[in-house]
Every structure is written in structure tokens, then in C-alpha cells.
Amino acid sequence: SSGINAEYGMSSSSDDDAEGIVFDIGTHRARMGIAGEDSPEINITYWSVPEFQKRYFEKFSLFDSMKFDTETFDEVIASCLKWGRIDEDQLKQRFVMFTEHLHRLESEREKLMELMFEKYQSPAFYIAPSPVLAMYSSGRGTGIVFECGNSYAETAAIYESHLFTQSINLEKTNGSTISSKLRAEINENEAQVDDAGIIALKEEYFSCSDKEQSRMLLPDGNEVQIDGKVLLDKDLGETTFANFVYEGIMSTSVHCRRDLFTNIILSGGTTLTSGFPDALKNGITNIVDNRHRGKMCKVIAAPERSYSPWIGGSILASLSCFMNSLIVTKQMYEESGNIRVQRFFINPEKMD
């Protein structure tokens, strides 16, 4: 839409130039790509980037997900631009979208908006909640999203485009905790494994199966005996993953719950753990069978769920209605200062 691009000062020389940029910046990795594409062009893990390694390996997390760090975000954005085909000059011609968790403070959104408008001179900007984008990527308008990544687990129930705010729960339980526990176990065995090796071993051996112990082959060829089970009933303190999702569903209206139980949508890298979808489904089914006879339970685990918020952002940011009504332009910012960034919710079933 060349008229829209001209109004916002964006390039319209080609279809690719007209598209915006979607950023999904987490505490373990960052993704960046052009809106409308199926997958992000850039998908970097911080432990593989020299300038981030030391900070990341301190807690297996680059930053605190509950606190917005402008300087770190700026560094991550610059790193994405360095490795991708989009550079800083092109950001001045494209709108940008960022994902966020649902507990981001308004003041933190304003800091990010200021960074993009003041430093990068982006012509337009938007922030979207990652659970809503994950729902969007699934092609559904109803469901409960269970997002579990490196730094937190979060639920958000959505029914026919209505977000139940009372269903939004967040716990700081995460993949980084698993990495730290594994490092402690390996240290107890007096084995020598570097931090990158810890991550590789976690991804290879940890699972949600019933196997209580695992023989783990270390990079040096030695074997150690470790607890190879991700304990779903302990990872959220006193709240299990299954109860976490169940409580989110039960916080909604009675007439919505049946549809929510059959549309439990997984998102986030930790949900890729071997056996995770089945273990979660079994846990929820056990709760439902004990309390609600006859209710069905279905978990949707898309292969690309580790970056489903980015996919949802890519879809949304490529729609003309998004360009027409949702984005915050640099002109609006300059006229109003740090104007409030409103959250959106759009029913994908009603959009062409």
C-alpha cells in the first residue's frame, strides 16, 4: 500500500521494502525478520555471540525478563542488524514490531518506543503481547496459550477475540533454572563441562518422561548419573504446569471452558522438551477427570512453537488493517511525546 507508506515516510520501491520488521527478543535468544515471511531471518542464541557470552552464562539469561534494560535491548538490536540483511539505515524506512510478555510496564514500553524513534529513527512502531501473537499464529480465535520459555511461564485465555485478563498468570520458572540445576548436578559429579556444553546436554537429555535417572555422556567421553527428568509438578513451586493451565481456564466464564480445554496452545522453547506436550495433557486430563467428568482435553503443539510469537507478529504486521489503525507513527510520537502504547486484540477468524 504505497499511500500508507508515503504517509508514514516508509519506502515503497518494492514489496520487500514496504514490509516492516518484527523483533522477538527473549532472555535466551533473539529473532528478527521481515513481516510476511514464514520464519525469522535472524535467530541468534546469546551464548554464541562473544559480546554476550559472559553475561549470559552467569544465570543462563542475558537479562531479567521482568525489567526492561534499554542498553541491553539496544545491543541485541544492533547484533541482529549486524547479521541480517536489514541494516540501521533500512530501519529508518520500515515500521517495527516487538513482542512482549503481558506484564510489561507502560513505562518500559515507552523506553523501547523512545529507543526506536530517537536512536533508530523508525517511522512507525508497535508492541504486541506474545501470547496473543502465538494464538494468532495458530489460526485460532479461541484457546488458552501456555507460553514457557527461558525466563518465565505465562497463561492467557482468549475466547472469540476476548482476552480474559483474570486468566493472565506469570511465574518465573524457566529453562534457565533447568540449566542451572544441571550445572550443579554435573559439578557434584566433579565433571568438567563448560557452559556451552551444559546447554547442549540439557537440550539432548532432559525430558518429561517417567525416567527418573539418566546416564549422561559428557563431551570428554565420561558418563555421569543425573536426574534426567523435568519435574513438571515442581517447576512452578507449589503450582504444577497442569494446575497453572487449569486455573487459567477455570478463571473464565463457564460457557467458554469446554472450548478452552480443547485448545491448549503451547508456545516457547521449553515446551520443545521431549515429552512435554503429552506430560502436560496427561496432567490436565487427570485434574479434569477428577473434577469434571466427560470433559475432553487437547494440547496443540506446533513444530514451530518456539518462535510462534514471531510468526504471529509476521502475520499481523503484514496486514493492511494493522498499518491503518494500530501502529504508532513517529509523527504521533513527536506531537505527543511518550504517548500510551495500547495493547491490541484482533480476532484472526474475522480478518481477511
Side-chain angles (χ1 to χ4, degrees):
S1 50
S2 58
I4 293 172
N5 291 324
E7 178 183 352
Y8 296 150
M10 290 178 272
S11 171
S12 58
S13 59
S14 72
D15 290 341
D16 182 66
D17 288 338
E19 296 295 351
I21 304 299
V22 179
F23 287 91
D24 180 20
I25 298 178
T27 61
H28 174 66
R29 66 172 68 236
R31 301 176 178 90
M32 180 193 78
I34 297 174
E37 296 191 349
D38 295 333
S39 60
E41 177 194 2
I42 300 300
N43 190 347
I44 58 172
T45 51
Y46 301 131
W47 60 267
S48 66
V49 180
E51 57 264 37
F52 297 144
Q53 284 179 352
K54 183 177 180 181
R55 278 178 286 169
Y56 176 81
F57 284 133
E58 287 178 0
K59 296 181 179 179
F60 291 101
S61 179
L62 186 62
F63 54 87
D64 185 342
S65 63
M66 298 297 107
K67 297 178 181 178
F68 179 75
D69 182 340
T70 305
E71 184 176 340
T72 301
F73 256 64
D74 190 9
E75 290 181 85
V76 173
I77 292 168
S79 184
C80 289
L81 295 176
K82 180 172 67 175
W83 295 107
R85 68 182 187 266
I86 302 301
D87 58 25
E88 192 168 328
D89 287 336
Q90 291 184 61
L91 271 192
K92 297 176 182 178
Q93 302 298 321
R94 299 169 181 264
F95 68 86
V96 292
M97 174 190 283
F98 285 82
T99 67
E100 68 164 359
H101 61 73
L102 284 162
H103 289 71
R104 181 72 69 206
L105 297 176
E106 194 70 41
S107 60
E108 295 175 334
R109 296 191 193 98
E110 291 173 351
K111 289 178 182 178
L112 179 56
M113 180 165 56
E114 182 177 338
L115 174 67
M116 298 313 297
F117 283 145
E118 297 290 346
K119 177 177 179 177
Y120 290 100
Q121 297 292 306
S122 296
F125 170 88
Y126 199 73
I127 303 178
S130 58
V132 176
L133 293 176
M135 173 73 73
Y136 209 100
S137 72
S138 76
R140 291 171 170 79
T142 293
I144 182 166
V145 175
F146 178 57
E147 185 173 24
C148 191
N150 187 58
S151 296
Y152 63 87
E154 181 174 44
T155 59
I158 299 160
Y159 186 82
E160 293 183 353
S161 80
H162 175 74
L163 174 63
F164 287 94
T165 56
Q166 66 269 30
S167 73
I168 299 171
N169 292 304
L170 184 143
E171 293 281 348
K172 291 190 68 175
T173 183
N174 45 64
S176 61
T177 300
I178 298 170
S179 299
S180 298
K181 289 179 179 179
L182 179 56
R183 177 160 59 186
E185 286 220 25
I186 289 178
N187 288 341
E188 286 180 6
N189 282 271
E190 299 183 350
Q192 299 297 317
V193 180
D194 63 18
D195 292 320
I198 295 291
I199 295 174
L201 290 170
K202 180 191 76 171
E203 292 177 350
E204 180 177 356
Y205 284 96
F206 268 74
S207 72
C208 299
S209 68
D210 295 329
K211 192 175 182 180
E212 293 292 342
Q213 297 290 327
S214 291
R215 297 293 299 178
M216 180 175 285
L217 180 64
L218 302 181
D220 62 7
N222 293 319
E223 281 192 351
V224 293
Q225 187 90 3
I226 60 98
D227 182 356
K229 179 183 177 184
V230 176
L231 298 175
L232 293 182
D233 58 350
K234 293 183 179 179
D235 274 350
L236 286 174
E238 301 196 357
T239 307
T240 68
F241 280 147
N243 274 324
F244 198 52
V245 175
Y246 175 79
E247 289 168 3
I249 293 174
M250 296 305 293
S251 71
T252 67
S253 300
V254 174
H255 74 278
C256 303
R257 295 172 186 170
R258 181 180 295 274
D259 289 333
L260 295 176
F261 274 118
T262 55
N263 288 281
I264 300 167
I265 299 165
L266 299 186
S267 176
T270 300
T271 68
L272 293 175
T273 302
S274 176
F276 191 105
D278 288 339
L280 181 65
K281 179 181 178 181
N282 292 338
I284 298 172
T285 298
N286 288 337
I287 296 172
V288 171
D289 285 346
N290 289 331
R291 305 178 190 179
H292 312 280
R293 297 288 181 182
K295 282 192 181 293
M296 299 293 292
C297 172
K298 183 178 180 181
V299 173
I300 293 97
E304 64 279 2
R305 61 188 179 276
S306 65
Y307 58 94
S308 57
W310 186 92
I311 296 173
S314 176
I315 295 170
L316 177 66
S318 64
L319 299 177
S320 60
C321 60
F322 168 78
M323 292 289 295
N324 284 324
S325 60
L326 292 175
I327 61 176
V328 178
T329 68
K330 191 169 188 295
Q331 180 181 349
M332 294 164 62
Y333 171 81
E334 290 172 343
E335 292 175 353
S336 306
N338 276 329
I339 60 176
R340 188 179 183 190
V341 179
Q342 299 287 346
R343 289 178 182 161
F344 79 95
F345 183 71
I346 296 175
N347 183 355
E349 295 178 345
K350 296 180 180 179
M351 299 186 65
D352 298 324

